[in-house]
Amino acid sequence: MDASEPEATPFSAVTAQTSRVSRAYQSYLDKATPYVTYRWIGTGALLLVFLLRIVLSEGWYIVCYSLGIYLLNLFLAFLQPKFDPSLSQDEGLEDGDSMKSPLPTTRDEEFRPFIRRLPEFKFWHSATRAITIAFACTWSELFNVPVFWPVLVVYWIILFTLTMRRQIQHMIKYRYVPFSFGKARYNSRSGH
């Protein structure tokens, strides 16, 4: 009865393999982080393969619709600021401070950069993982629920239009732009 070496159980072997795979996956994600364009091209290609699978198989429309709703939800979280100015304005109204603006109005006020609710990397990772899971679901007849797909398409377009209109109105009202293109860039050589 040697007590110095712990007993190898099937559970510990599975845990060790899971840990090894998890570390390898995290290492791949860490290496892929700086390659934004290539990551999104890969995700776009995966989405194209998924859509081809849906169109050519003429089924799994509910899986496609669910993926579309999830991707729309991710996109909206990507566009929204982490600290919503409408919520902070509502808190100011409760405190009796209705005149305080959530954005800087003079040069003396502090600059607050746009911080996303959902960072780009997490948006990419969640979208890629969702597309992969949806693609895997198309290989099971369990998820091939018969539906009249034009209704789903029209409903998704209406949902997209209404939510994006509301988001754009919110962006205009609180004067923020969630994208970096079109913003002023200052050259370090010119001193500006």
Side-chain angles (χ1 to χ4, degrees), residues 12-190:
S12 64
V14 169
T15 303
Q17 288 299 321
T18 304
S19 177
R20 187 178 65 78
V21 169
S22 176
R23 281 193 310 272
Y25 180 69
Q26 187 61 47
S27 172
Y28 165 74
L29 288 177
D30 293 341
K31 289 177 185 175
T33 300
Y35 304 105
V36 177
T37 305
Y38 296 119
R39 285 189 283 121
W40 282 105
I41 288 172
T43 300
L46 185 62
L47 182 62
L48 184 65
V49 169
F50 170 75
L51 293 175
L52 281 172
R53 167 85 175 132
I54 296 297
V55 169
L56 295 177
S57 65
E58 297 179 356
W60 292 278
Y61 299 118
I62 199 77
V63 173
C64 187
Y65 176 74
S66 301
L67 177 65
I69 295 294
Y70 183 71
L71 292 178
L72 178 62
N73 186 27
L74 287 177
F75 185 62
L76 287 174
F78 177 72
L79 290 179
Q80 294 173 349
K82 186 172 186 176
F83 306 106
D84 192 356
S86 65
L87 295 178
S88 62
Q89 193 174 38
D90 290 344
E91 290 172 1
L93 290 175
E94 290 175 2
D95 297 336
D97 188 16
S98 62
M99 298 307 289
K100 185 176 179 189
S101 171
L103 298 173
T105 55
T106 64
R107 289 186 178 265
D108 297 335
E109 289 187 48
E110 177 185 359
F111 169 72
R112 290 178 293 236
F114 183 81
I115 301 171
R116 298 181 187 284
R117 180 175 290 171
L118 180 67
E120 181 272 332
F121 184 79
K122 288 185 179 182
F123 177 36
W124 168 79
H125 186 248
S126 298
T128 305
R129 188 174 42 196
I131 294 168
T132 304
I133 291 169
F135 186 72
C137 288
T138 63
W139 296 98
S140 172
E141 284 295 323
L142 178 67
F143 299 106
N144 193 6
V145 178
V147 292
F148 187 60
W149 66 268
V151 172
L152 293 179
V153 171
V154 168
Y155 184 66
W156 189 87
I157 290 171
I158 291 170
L159 188 64
F160 177 80
T161 304
L162 292 176
T163 54
M164 288 309 295
R165 187 182 81 192
R166 187 188 66 189
Q167 183 63 35
I168 291 169
Q169 287 173 344
H170 190 268
M171 290 163 50
I172 291 169
K173 181 178 181 182
Y174 293 103
R175 297 183 306 226
Y176 65 90
V177 179
F179 302 109
S180 59
F181 61 84
K183 292 184 179 178
R185 291 183 185 246
Y186 300 100
N187 191 352
S188 62
R189 291 191 314 215
S190 68

